[in-house]
């Protein structure tokens, strides 16, 4: 059987297994083991344990549970509420100021947690009821939270960038820096659409004579400022060469836990248990996906499927932008069915040699991949943020939430086009602060 035929069978079976709803880690591991035995015999099982272990035998992985703990500590505290209140008091005069405040809070909370569902849930629990109470249309209230939540995997520190860096051996520090400007670009596009929509509808959340005093504005800052200072501090020590990503993540996690305990009085064992439970659950899930994705990649390579695909694309000699369009379409479709971690770990090692041979920057491509996966978070059938928002506001039909999210999907597509025309938006900051790319982690 030719490698192309084997690859087609593996693709179909993998998609069918994932569509059953089986956990991604177990699905990938099972498919890899079955096809290794099927095509190479039972002796191939001798490499399974070693391959799984080698996939997890990387010190860089220590940063994943640390950044997750950082997000869990903040997500378990009322920090999201305070961040939301602070921004609302400063932006209330802007048309659609409350929605803009929610988007700004999502961007800042994304920088604190690196998690899309956590961002969506933390800001949405406070923002959606408040927007509805003030009469905002249901579609803009829910759609903005769905879209704002996706910033959690783009604005650093991002677990998605860590996984991409590990899978492709790309500098995680450069990836973090590369996500800053596109994250701000995407936040700006979200806000621009919101302001235009609210202005077009002629809607006002406050009476024209309503004012927040300077005392009320300034009083909202002290509780959120220390958390933002930690994020800035982590970025400074990381990009200043003072600490590695793992060390910076460990210190950031410890400081966030300390601040959550001291500022919000989270002394009870119940609070600590919630932080540790969420950290352990998400960390184990991601690490299991990493291990089995490495095994899956080994299976593809040992059956010569990866090499055959790369050779076929290279032999096609299509325009590199046509190639990038096809890759984007593939990522968009895959993102509708598979979680971001699974897609990155399965596809990045395969796509990396293809895009580098076409002359694309791996760091820039990491940003492109992430924005594609953001779209998948708010598109059915598996759009995770749609379910998070539906749980927050169960009385709003999913159809309304989806229609409210569609314009923000359009903003993401615009961001992708802008980044294709001006790739320096992603590459300028890492090149300016860390010098030209030289490979490695």
């Amino acid at each position: 059987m030719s490698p192309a035929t084997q690859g087609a069978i593996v693709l179909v079976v993998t998609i069918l297994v994932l569509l059953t709803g089986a956990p991604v880690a177990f699905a990938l591991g099972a498919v890899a083991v079955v096809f290794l035995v099927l095509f190479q015999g039972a002796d191939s099982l001798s490499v399974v344990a070693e391959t799984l272990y080698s996939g997890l035998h990387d010190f860089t992985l220590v940063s994943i549970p640390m950044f997750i703990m950082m997000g869990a500590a903040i997500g378990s505290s009322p920090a999201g509420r305070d961040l939301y209140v602070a921004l609302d008091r400063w932006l209330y005069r802007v048309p659609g100021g409350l929605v803009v405040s929610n988007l700004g809070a999502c961007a800042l909370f994304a920088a604190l947690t690196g998690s899309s569902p956590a961002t969506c849930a933390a800001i949405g629990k406070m923002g959606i009821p408040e927007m509805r109470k003030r009469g905002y249309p249901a579609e803009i209230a829910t759609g903005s939270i769905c879209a704002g939540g996706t910033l959690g995997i783009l604005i650093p520190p991002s677990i998605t960038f860590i996984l991409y860096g590990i899978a492709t051996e790309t500098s995680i520090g450069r990836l973090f820096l590369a996500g800053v400007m596109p994250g701000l670009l995407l936040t700006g596009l979200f806000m621009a659409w919101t302001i235009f929509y609210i202005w077009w509808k002629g809607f006002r959340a406050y009476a024209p004579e309503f004012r927040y005093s300077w005392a009320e504005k300034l009083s909202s800052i002290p509780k959120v400022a220390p958390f933002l200072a930690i994020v800035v501090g982590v970025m400074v020590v990381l990009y200043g060469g003072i600490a590695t990503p793992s060390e910076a993540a460990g210190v950031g996690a410890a400081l966030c836990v300390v601040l959550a305990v001291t500022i919000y009085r989270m002394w009870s064992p119940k609070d600590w248990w919630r932080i540790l439970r969420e950290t352990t659950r998400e960390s184990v899930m991601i690490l299991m996906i990493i291990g089995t994705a490495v095994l899956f990649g080994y299976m593809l390579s040992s059956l010569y499927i990866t090499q055959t695909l790369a050779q076929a694309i290279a032999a096609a000699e299509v325009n590199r932008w046509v190639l990038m369009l096809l890759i984007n379409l593939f990522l968009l479709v895959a993102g509708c069915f598979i979680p971001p971690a699974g897609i990155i770990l399965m596809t990045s090692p395969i796509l990396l040699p293809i895009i580098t041979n076409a002359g694309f920057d791996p760091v820039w491509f990491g940003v492109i991949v992430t924005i594609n996966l953001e779209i998948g978070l708010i598109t059915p059938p598996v759009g995770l943020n749609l379910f998070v928002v539906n749980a927050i506001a169960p009385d709003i039909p999913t159809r309304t939430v989806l229609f409210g999210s569609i314009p923000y999907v359009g903003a993401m597509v615009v961001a992708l086009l802008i980044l294709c025309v001006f790739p320096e938006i992603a590459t300028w900051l890492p090149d300016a602060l860390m010098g030209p790319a030289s490979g490695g982690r």
Side-chain angles (χ1 to χ4, degrees):
M1 188 180 295
S2 69
T5 305
Q6 291 176 342
I9 295 172
V10 170
L11 175 64
V12 171
V13 172
T14 302
I15 292 174
L16 291 175
V17 172
L18 289 171
L19 289 177
T20 65
V24 174
F26 297 126
L28 292 180
V31 170
V33 169
V34 167
F35 280 104
L36 280 173
V37 172
L38 184 62
F39 292 120
Q40 295 188 344
D43 290 344
S44 61
L45 292 176
S46 61
V47 302
V48 170
E50 181 182 351
T51 305
L52 276 170
Y53 176 77
S54 66
L56 298 173
H57 186 59
D58 189 333
F59 186 73
T60 309
L61 293 175
V62 174
S63 62
I64 292 178
M66 293 297 98
F67 278 125
I68 290 173
M69 176 175 276
M70 187 174 169
I74 297 170
S76 300
S77 73
R81 178 199 65 202
D82 290 339
L83 188 60
Y84 164 81
V85 169
L87 284 169
D88 179 39
R89 291 183 181 180
W90 286 91
L91 298 174
Y92 72 102
R93 299 291 293 173
V94 178
L98 192 58
V99 186
V100 172
S101 299
N102 278 288
L103 291 169
C106 285
L108 292 174
F109 202 79
L112 293 170
T113 64
S115 168
S116 177
T119 301
C120 192
I123 305 303
K125 286 176 183 176
M126 181 70 183
I128 292 176
E130 190 67 21
M131 284 188 283
R132 297 183 69 193
K133 185 172 72 176
R134 298 187 191 178
Y136 279 92
E139 64 271 15
I140 200 75
T142 53
S144 61
I145 293 295
C146 279
T150 66
L151 297 170
I153 64 171
L154 179 62
I155 297 177
S158 164
I159 303 300
T160 303
F161 280 147
I162 295 175
L163 296 177
Y164 177 85
I166 292 169
T168 62
E169 297 188 354
T170 303
S171 166
I172 293 173
R174 299 186 74 86
L175 287 166
F176 277 5
L177 284 173
V180 173
M181 298 301 291
L184 295 176
L185 168 67
L186 202 50
T187 305
L189 289 173
F190 288 167
M191 290 181 174
W193 161 253
T194 299
I195 292 172
F196 169 77
Y197 181 84
I198 297 299
W199 170 81
W200 180 46
K201 292 291 185 179
F203 178 81
R204 294 188 66 94
Y206 292 95
E209 66 276 7
F210 182 84
R211 295 286 188 280
Y212 275 117
S213 68
W214 278 101
E216 289 174 312
K217 291 180 180 180
L218 295 174
S219 66
S220 64
I221 295 177
K223 281 190 175 182
V224 298
F227 291 104
L228 299 178
I230 288 178
V231 173
V232 173
V234 167
M235 297 297 111
V236 169
V237 299
L238 182 60
Y239 305 131
I242 301 171
T244 65
S246 302
E247 294 165 346
V251 173
L255 290 176
C256 282
V257 170
V258 170
L259 282 181
V261 170
T262 55
I263 293 178
Y264 295 107
R265 301 288 186 254
M266 297 173 63
W267 303 104
S268 72
K270 181 179 178 182
D271 293 329
W272 279 87
W273 173 251
R274 186 164 63 249
I275 293 173
L276 295 175
R277 182 189 61 197
E278 293 302 316
T279 301
T280 303
R281 179 183 296 169
E282 192 167 345
S283 299
V284 170
M285 176 194 72
I286 290 176
L287 292 172
M288 282 291 293
I289 293 175
I290 291 173
T292 54
V294 170
L295 179 62
F296 187 83
Y298 170 82
M299 178 269 294
L300 293 177
S301 180
S302 65
L303 298 181
Y304 210 68
I305 295 172
T306 306
Q307 298 90 325
T308 301
L309 176 62
Q311 290 172 0
I313 293 176
E317 296 183 353
V318 297
N319 180 281
R320 70 184 198 133
W321 289 109
V322 174
L323 175 62
M324 183 55 62
L325 175 62
L326 295 175
I327 291 173
N328 275 270
L329 292 174
F330 164 73
L331 292 170
L332 285 171
V333 174
C336 293
F337 299 94
I338 307 172
I343 295 174
I344 285 176
L345 293 167
M346 281 193 300
T347 63
S348 294
I350 301 173
L351 295 176
L352 183 68
I354 296 171
I355 63 105
T356 51
N357 288 338
F360 293 109
D361 187 318
V363 173
W364 170 85
F365 184 64
V367 176
I368 295 296
V369 170
T370 302
I371 296 178
N372 274 286
L373 299 183
E374 284 188 276
I375 296 175
L377 288 170
I378 56 176
T379 50
V382 186
L384 183 58
N385 286 10
L386 296 175
F387 295 114
V388 173
V389 167
N390 187 252
I392 295 171
D395 57 314
I396 298 179
T398 303
R399 181 172 175 270
T400 301
V401 180
L402 180 58
F403 282 165
S405 303
I406 288 175
Y408 295 101
V409 172
M412 294 181 192
V413 174
V414 170
L416 285 172
L417 294 174
I418 293 174
L419 284 168
C420 287
V421 177
F422 304 104
E424 297 81 7
I425 294 174
T427 59
W428 173 79
L429 191 58
D431 286 347
L433 296 183
M434 301 180 70
S438 57
R441 268 205 294 272

